[in-house]
Amino acid sequence: MHDYQREFIEFAIAENVLSFGEFTLKSGRVSPYFFNAGRFRGGRALATLGRCYAEAIERSGLHFDVLFGPAYKGIPLAATTCVALADRFDRDVAYAFNRKEAKDHGEGGSIVGAELEGRVLIIDDVITAGTAIRESMSLIETQGATPAGVVVALDRQERGSDDEHGRSAIQEVEAEFGIPVIPIVTLDGILEYLETKTSESGLERYAGVIRAYR
Ligand code: OMP
């Protein structure tokens, strides 16, 4: 595990973004943990978040022209990541986001920011079943651009819809669209982290339930 990944997990736990308990997911599954990116609220938290996304993007070596943050949660993620790419990696990348409802006055349209052209990297918080990501793919294609990849904070490594191939939902997205999905951390990474914790931290007890869920 890289330092930024460990730092990201520690920071997500400290900010209550990553929490343990019993949570019903969008898919209906009941999970012993939940990742709520909406809880990154302060300026420092957003700055750290952007830096972690930027680091994951840089390490992936992926080439892209525009960063696309789907409404609503993807919008601040795209903004803070662009700032971090400029500050940390000297890369001036443009970003765009969509409105959920197209505007029929003023500048009009549903895309705000950069034109969706060339290779587009989608930024999102979590992929569980891949429903939200499929919507972004079709939006990018409708604009005549090409999806280059997806960067997410967490790969939950959830089982995909097609059990026969034994693939995760993210592997299904990668195969269906022929693009990589780059996570800052995976569930395996979180498990690895929890397993290094001592009983004083109170965290190591979650490793067993999460492993069983995995
Ligand atoms: P899919 O559209 O099924 O891939 O689910 C992604 C969405 O699930 C996210 O955008 C969240 O709304 C929600 N989610 C989380 O934010 N964190 C989690 O740990 C799990 C989920 C989820 O419901 O699966």
Side-chain angles (χ1 to χ4, degrees):
M1 189 181 305
H2 297 293
D3 287 350
Y4 80 95
Q5 293 173 310
R6 180 176 305 278
E7 188 197 341
F8 181 75
I9 296 171
E10 281 171 352
F11 158 72
I13 293 173
E15 297 281 329
N16 274 321
V17 167
L18 178 59
S19 37
F20 305 99
E22 198 177 285
F23 306 91
T24 303
L25 305 182
K26 189 167 145 185
S27 61
R29 288 177 199 160
V30 177
S31 162
Y33 75 103
F34 196 80
F35 185 88
N36 182 357
R39 281 182 175 263
F40 284 119
R41 289 173 183 166
R44 193 169 300 130
L46 275 180
T48 306
L49 184 61
R51 193 161 44 72
C52 291
Y53 273 110
E55 184 114 20
I57 292 169
E58 280 298 298
R59 280 181 184 274
S60 76
L62 187 81
H63 293 284
F64 65 99
D65 302 303
V66 181
L67 189 62
F68 175 66
Y72 297 98
K73 279 199 212 154
I75 301 173
L77 301 181
T80 190
T81 302
C82 273
V83 172
L85 283 168
D87 278 355
R88 298 265 163 171
F89 299 100
D90 199 22
R91 283 185 66 184
D92 191 17
V93 170
Y95 83 99
F97 60 88
N98 62 308
R99 290 184 214 278
K100 287 219 171 182
E101 292 178 19
K103 199 172 159 188
D104 59 6
H105 60 279
E107 76 280 15
S110 69
I111 303 295
V112 187
E115 302 284 330
L116 275 189
E117 286 173 343
R119 292 171 54 78
V120 180
L121 175 62
I122 302 167
I123 183 163
D124 215 338
D125 52 357
V126 180
I127 294 183
T128 299
T131 326
I133 257 357
R134 285 186 173 81
E135 285 169 24
S136 297
M137 298 287 188
S138 63
L139 207 146
I140 290 168
E141 281 163 0
T142 311
Q143 298 287 319
T146 312
V150 186
V151 60
V152 290
L154 170 66
D155 177 358
R156 294 185 49 105
Q157 298 176 284
E158 298 273 333
R159 183 177 291 181
S161 56
D162 178 9
D163 254 359
E164 218 174 274
H165 291 91
R167 289 186 303 208
S168 73
I170 284 199
Q171 286 165 337
E172 282 181 0
V173 168
E174 289 182 315
E176 184 178 337
F177 298 98
I179 55 167
V181 177
I182 305 151
I184 300 175
V185 289
T186 61
L187 178 58
D188 282 342
I190 292 177
L191 263 172
E192 187 188 322
Y193 172 81
L194 292 175
E195 280 164 356
T196 63
K197 292 280 121 187
T198 57
S199 51
E200 295 97 82
S201 71
L203 287 174
E204 102 300 349
R205 66 199 151 104
Y206 299 120
V209 262
I210 294 182
R211 181 165 295 287
Y213 178 78
R214 168 89 174 95

